[in-house]
Amino acid sequence: MKGIINRPVKLWLVMVTAAILWMMGAGFQKANSASSEDLYDGLKLFSDVIELIQREYVDEVDSKDLIQKAIQGMVQGLDPHSSLLPSDAFEDLQIDTKGKFTGIGIHITMRNGFVTVISPIEDTPAHKAGIEAGDRIIKVDGQFAKDLREAVRMMRGPKGSKVAVTIMREGIKKPMEFELIRDEIPIQSVKFVTLKPGYGYLRLSNFTATTTQEFEKALEKLEAETDSMKGLILDLRNNGGGYLVTAIEVASEFIDKGVVMYEEYGDGSRDTYTAKAGGRATEIPLIVLVNEGTASASEIVAGAIQDYARGQLVGVVTYGKGTVQNWIELDNGQGGVRVTIARWLTPNGTQISEVGLTPDVIVEITEEDYTNGVDPQLEKAIELL
């Protein structure tokens, strides 16, 4: 029986190998023969190992599952932000910037082999329970969270249902247990308040398709309350990112002209993103709040503001996600691949990946501050205005 099972698998793998080699000849003619032979040998080894496992492994295995896991390992081995998602999870992971969903409300990534919190989303179960940027998610409902896909799947669920999340936090020896009630996660990304006449506070929780419009409406309302804006605090703390185009638009609200960021590809070529004309806040004195949960698109905005000395950054060193990913949908409903296509640099040419942005004014928040409801970072920002 095993021989019968193996034959279609072997035939299928040979067909895949042939198709890849055909594409190599058609689309990669510049590749030398040595590299082509290396790839052929690698594909043959892959086929041989699959067949060996099918023949010798103690339990029956699903060949498609083996192949998917192999591809996942290949993609995740590139960097922490590249991944393969099957069809049932491909749309789920994109919902954060498209519509409402139910879950606990966190942005996560793979970092150093662990599912790691980039930032909690404001006013969500995770945020209210005290889950923080940098927390490592070890288990969900008692099951080990081994990869990003499984972690997302296990933490999402019906509104009102319970989920137990076990995390490890730097500086705390024992795992921390959180029992959360899943809720509808809001996508509204902008909140604002007048601190005092002429001084406004704008909080951006992420960068969605509607963030720019929300930002402009919020600024209009702040301006309507005073004769002139004398100062503005832009809060990007725990903002895990979002759409690149939205980040460029938001940065353009504060920077009247010039480069916002460079996108640098593997061959050394660059795309340049410049500020769009017509920004509403290019002359308003500005302070930007950042922390370890400020990542990706929010670092683009903060980095441009810092490089142009448009405003001071207050807080602690940011997350350091200095790469750009693209979602590529696979044929025949097989899901999609999220692959890193470039690195991005600030206007001064700084690459912040794994390093982050260092604020102009370092202000930390202690556990005691959290407990007492004190925000020294915001207090310092108000003082600087």
Side-chain angles (χ1 to χ4, degrees):
M1 288 297 291
K2 287 186 177 180
I4 296 173
I5 293 172
N6 287 337
R7 188 169 297 170
V9 174
K10 182 69 173 177
L11 177 61
W12 185 83
L13 286 167
V14 169
M15 291 171 65
V16 170
T17 302
I20 293 173
L21 292 174
W22 177 84
M23 287 190 293
M24 286 169 49
F28 300 95
Q29 294 179 0
K30 293 181 181 179
N32 58 45
S33 58
S35 62
S36 298
E37 288 178 8
D38 288 344
L39 180 56
Y40 178 84
D41 289 343
L43 289 169
K44 183 178 183 303
L45 175 62
F46 178 73
S47 171
D48 289 345
V49 171
I50 292 282
E51 191 173 25
L52 183 149
I53 291 171
Q54 284 268 317
R55 185 178 65 247
E56 302 292 344
Y57 189 66
V58 61
D59 296 320
E60 186 174 343
V61 294
D62 185 326
S63 59
K64 288 185 179 180
D65 185 53
L66 282 177
I67 292 165
Q68 188 173 76
K69 287 177 179 176
I71 296 172
Q72 181 69 279
M74 173 179 67
V75 177
Q76 285 189 341
L78 298 172
D79 63 71
H81 307 295
S82 296
S83 60
L84 168 74
L85 284 182
S87 55
D88 61 345
F90 180 55
E91 188 171 347
D92 266 359
L93 206 59
Q94 301 180 76
I95 289 176
D96 291 2
T97 52
K98 289 186 176 180
K100 295 179 180 178
F101 63 94
T102 56
I104 66 171
I106 53 174
H107 296 291
I108 58 175
T109 188
M110 291 298 296
R111 197 169 210 181
N112 299 324
F114 291 92
V115 177
T116 304
V117 178
I118 297 176
S119 62
I121 300 172
E122 192 172 6
D123 294 332
T124 63
H127 179 258
K128 293 173 182 176
I131 291 178
E132 300 177 3
D135 286 346
R136 292 176 169 179
I137 297 174
I138 307 301
K139 296 180 182 178
V140 179
D141 283 336
Q143 298 181 43
F144 284 102
K146 297 178 181 179
D147 61 50
L148 205 61
R149 169 194 165 193
E150 280 300 301
V152 171
R153 182 188 65 78
M154 290 190 291
M155 286 186 288
R156 287 191 174 162
K159 179 178 178 179
S161 59
K162 293 182 180 180
V163 59
V165 178
T166 307
I167 69 160
M168 290 295 294
R169 180 174 295 168
E170 187 176 354
I172 298 178
K173 294 182 179 180
K174 293 184 178 180
M176 302 174 66
E177 301 283 347
F178 293 86
E179 186 172 276
L180 308 172
I181 306 296
R182 295 183 180 96
D183 200 357
E184 190 173 83
I185 305 304
I187 301 301
Q188 182 180 358
S189 58
V190 179
K191 293 185 177 182
F192 66 96
V193 66
T194 296
L195 299 172
K196 58 183 179 179
Y199 294 88
Y201 167 91
L202 273 166
R203 160 88 179 127
L204 270 63
S205 59
N206 53 8
F207 290 86
T208 72
T210 62
T211 298
T212 305
Q213 292 79 6
E214 291 180 48
F215 174 88
E216 290 175 347
K217 289 179 181 178
L219 190 58
E220 283 179 11
K221 291 179 180 179
L222 287 172
E223 289 174 330
E225 296 179 6
T226 183
D227 294 332
S228 63
M229 289 295 295
K230 299 174 184 177
L232 187 66
I233 294 173
L234 176 66
D235 192 346
L236 297 178
R237 293 177 295 181
N238 294 323
N239 182 321
Y243 287 142
L244 171 61
V245 65
T246 306
I248 303 301
E249 291 171 350
V250 170
S252 301
E253 297 287 352
F254 303 102
I255 300 166
D256 57 355
K257 61 181 178 180
V259 174
V260 173
M261 61 160 279
Y262 297 102
E263 202 168 78
E264 187 173 74
Y265 301 95
D267 61 2
S269 63
R270 288 183 178 181
D271 282 341
T272 302
Y273 293 82
T274 57
K276 301 176 184 293
R280 299 179 59 93
T282 57
E283 301 295 329
I284 302 173
L286 180 66
I287 300 294
V288 182
L289 292 173
V290 296
N291 68 358
E292 62 277 4
T294 302
S296 192
S298 57
E299 289 177 295
I300 290 172
V301 174
I305 289 170
Q306 186 178 51
D307 277 7
Y308 284 108
R310 174 62 189 83
Q312 293 188 77
L313 270 56
V314 174
V316 295
V317 176
T318 63
Y319 185 84
K321 185 178 180 296
T323 54
V324 180
Q325 284 72 39
N326 190 19
W327 279 110
I328 302 172
E329 188 168 2
L330 299 174
D331 292 337
N332 303 318
Q334 294 298 307
V337 174
R338 183 189 187 196
V339 62
T340 298
I341 61 169
R343 296 178 178 87
W344 67 263
L345 298 86
T346 71
N348 287 347
T350 304
Q351 218 286 78
I352 62 99
S353 190
E354 306 298 327
V355 177
L357 297 166
T358 300
D360 302 288
V361 182
I362 299 290
V363 180
E364 296 185 353
I365 296 182
T366 66
E367 288 294 331
E368 186 178 352
D369 291 330
Y370 280 118
T371 301
N372 296 329
V374 177
D375 189 345
Q377 293 172 342
L378 178 58
E379 291 175 358
K380 186 62 176 180
I382 294 172
E383 176 189 323
L384 291 170
L385 280 179

